[in-house]
Amino acid sequence: MTTHTEHQAQQAREPLDVNDPRLSRFEIVQEGARRDDIEIVHYEPQVVPGSRAERRLTRTVASMFLLTGLAATAFLVIYIWWPWEYAPGRGGDKWYTPLLGVTLGIALLGIGFGILTWGKKLLPKEVSIQDRHEGAVSEDDRTITGQTMLYMADELGVKRRPLLGISLLAGLAPVGAVVAAPLVGGLISDPHKNNQMFTTGFAPTEGGQKVRLVREDGRPVRPADISSGGQITVFPGIDHGVSNRHADSPTLLIHLRDSDAQEARRANERIGHGDYMWGNYAAYSKICTHAGCPASLYEQQTNRLLCPCHQSQFLITDNAKPIFGPASRRLPQLPIDVDAEGYFVATSDYTETVGPDFWERP
């Protein structure tokens, strides 16, 4: 431990010429420390340069960084080329999100452990004490600061251990690409491929046949099945139309009273949906446009449809416009008709996106 007398002697010592080419970089750093009233009380390299221990630690840190690069590259490959599109059943798409999480997690852990090992095991240990003071920055001080930064770079050992620099670059470059990938992902792969976001089970079949509206047990629905003021949940009458394969298709079929139906029809005509209703019947998506919950609580007297999750309310007689709660977009309406056998059918698929809104909707 340096005594007070020794510390005063150091302060009284003549300052060195920091531009003297005979001085080493570390001597300039020490001079800068003395001028700034900093006493280096302990400085100890943790490994001997060129020793077996240093080589082992260098390989360990390099392995961490290379693992980071491999994991980040795997993230990019999965993000861009993995067939993530949803398909009925449990296909390869179920691995898409977990693999993104695993690869990104390994990349972050690799770079974290690599930096920690580098700092804890390879960098010298130093303990310094500084007296607080004020003063203008001189030209010598700027020189000392620059040399100190260069000395710190030397102590990192990248020049002496080129494997560390190469592995760090190989690890960080893919991580940087990972950060940019979500921002440009839509430019790499068309998010509208196969029109997934705009198609439900009510889309006409390949032969152009209209899809019937059916109950949960698969029975088709006639107008007489719903009393005035009543409603039922219907599904597309196709294979697996009632299953989770078509979880975007549940629809509320409502039989409005005469006066309410006239009001709803006028509201439809104002937005060009004059042919969406059949008689006094209207059909609206049951999936709330706020967070995708089932909006299924129908108040017959007020013609309001309530979502129990976040209390959004939609006015059925005004194009299912949101009138309360966090939902900001109306429920899409399904165009309906009755076929030759007297059963309800969808004349087309929904003409608006079903469920929560998203940034690509015009």
Side-chain angles (χ1 to χ4, degrees):
M1 178 70 69
T2 303
T3 66
H4 180 68
T5 303
E6 292 172 335
H7 184 58
Q8 286 181 325
Q10 288 178 354
Q11 288 182 320
R13 184 183 304 163
E14 281 293 323
L16 299 177
D17 181 7
V18 295
N19 296 304
D20 187 345
R22 294 172 298 176
L23 295 179
S24 68
R25 185 166 288 159
F26 183 64
E27 288 174 326
I28 295 176
V29 171
Q30 286 181 312
E31 174 64 16
R34 285 193 294 268
R35 292 187 184 186
D36 210 20
D37 293 333
I38 297 175
E39 181 182 353
I40 301 176
V41 297
H42 180 76
Y43 191 88
E44 176 189 2
Q46 298 197 71
V47 292
V48 178
S51 65
R52 181 179 298 177
E54 183 189 46
R55 291 194 296 271
R56 185 181 67 253
L57 288 170
T58 299
R59 289 193 297 269
T60 300
V61 175
S63 298
M64 295 290 184
F65 291 152
L66 291 175
L67 177 63
T68 294
L70 290 173
T73 301
F75 177 96
L76 293 172
V77 171
I78 294 168
Y79 182 83
I80 297 172
W81 288 289
W82 188 273
W84 57 267
E85 291 87 352
Y86 171 77
R90 297 182 63 83
D93 59 288
K94 69 178 180 179
W95 298 107
Y96 180 69
T97 300
L99 285 174
L100 289 180
V102 168
T103 52
L104 182 58
I106 292 175
L108 296 179
L109 285 174
I111 194 171
F113 281 118
I115 291 175
L116 284 174
T117 304
W118 194 342
K120 293 287 186 181
K121 300 295 183 181
L122 284 173
L123 294 183
K125 293 181 179 179
E126 178 183 327
V127 178
S128 301
I129 299 175
Q130 179 180 21
D131 294 331
R132 186 181 297 276
H133 66 91
E134 296 180 359
V137 178
S138 66
E139 183 66 30
D140 282 355
D141 289 335
R142 286 195 288 268
T143 300
I144 290 168
T145 301
Q147 292 296 316
T148 300
M149 295 177 67
L150 292 173
Y151 180 76
M152 292 172 61
D154 287 345
E155 286 300 293
L156 288 175
V158 175
K159 290 183 178 179
R160 191 172 68 253
R161 310 163 186 139
L163 179 60
L164 286 179
I166 295 173
S167 61
L168 182 60
L169 180 62
L172 289 183
V175 171
V178 165
V179 175
L183 302 178
V184 299
L187 303 177
I188 297 172
S189 180
D190 184 4
H192 299 131
K193 187 167 61 178
N194 299 328
N195 208 26
Q196 294 184 85
M197 300 297 295
F198 300 91
T199 304
T200 71
F202 287 108
T205 62
E206 293 183 1
Q209 185 176 0
K210 298 175 181 178
V211 176
R212 283 180 173 176
L213 280 55
V214 301
R215 299 173 183 268
E216 190 172 5
D217 58 7
R219 290 181 296 139
V221 181
R222 296 177 182 271
D225 295 338
I226 311 173
S227 59
S228 180
Q231 50 81 26
I232 63 171
T233 299
V234 294
F235 306 87
I238 59 176
D239 289 341
H240 306 288
V242 186
S243 70
N244 285 337
R245 295 190 184 185
H246 295 281
D248 56 355
S249 301
T251 299
L252 205 64
L253 179 60
I254 304 172
H255 185 179
L256 297 167
R257 294 182 293 267
D258 288 340
S259 59
D260 296 331
Q262 293 176 10
E263 183 179 353
R265 193 172 294 107
R266 287 194 295 268
N268 275 8
E269 290 172 352
R270 286 198 299 269
I271 62 171
H273 291 178
D275 58 347
Y276 276 40
M277 294 176 59
W278 183 88
N280 291 351
Y281 296 83
Y284 288 95
S285 172
K286 197 174 178 179
I287 302 175
C288 182
T289 54
H290 168 235
C293 298
S296 55
L297 302 179
Y298 178 60
E299 289 185 345
Q300 183 185 105
Q301 299 304 318
T302 61
N303 291 305
R304 293 186 179 190
L305 187 61
L306 283 70
C307 176
C309 292
H310 305 99
Q311 321 312 316
S312 293
Q313 297 182 20
F314 304 88
L315 185 59
I316 295 302
T317 53
D318 189 10
N319 305 117
K321 174 184 176 181
I323 57 175
F324 183 82
S328 60
R329 185 168 65 95
R330 65 178 181 234
L331 296 173
Q333 186 174 4
L334 182 68
I336 58 173
D337 199 355
V338 171
D339 63 15
E341 298 182 32
Y343 295 109
F344 278 112
V345 295
T347 59
S348 74
D349 200 354
Y350 283 100
T351 55
E352 298 177 70
T353 54
V354 169
D357 207 353
F358 61 101
W359 70 274
E360 294 168 309
R361 190 180 69 84

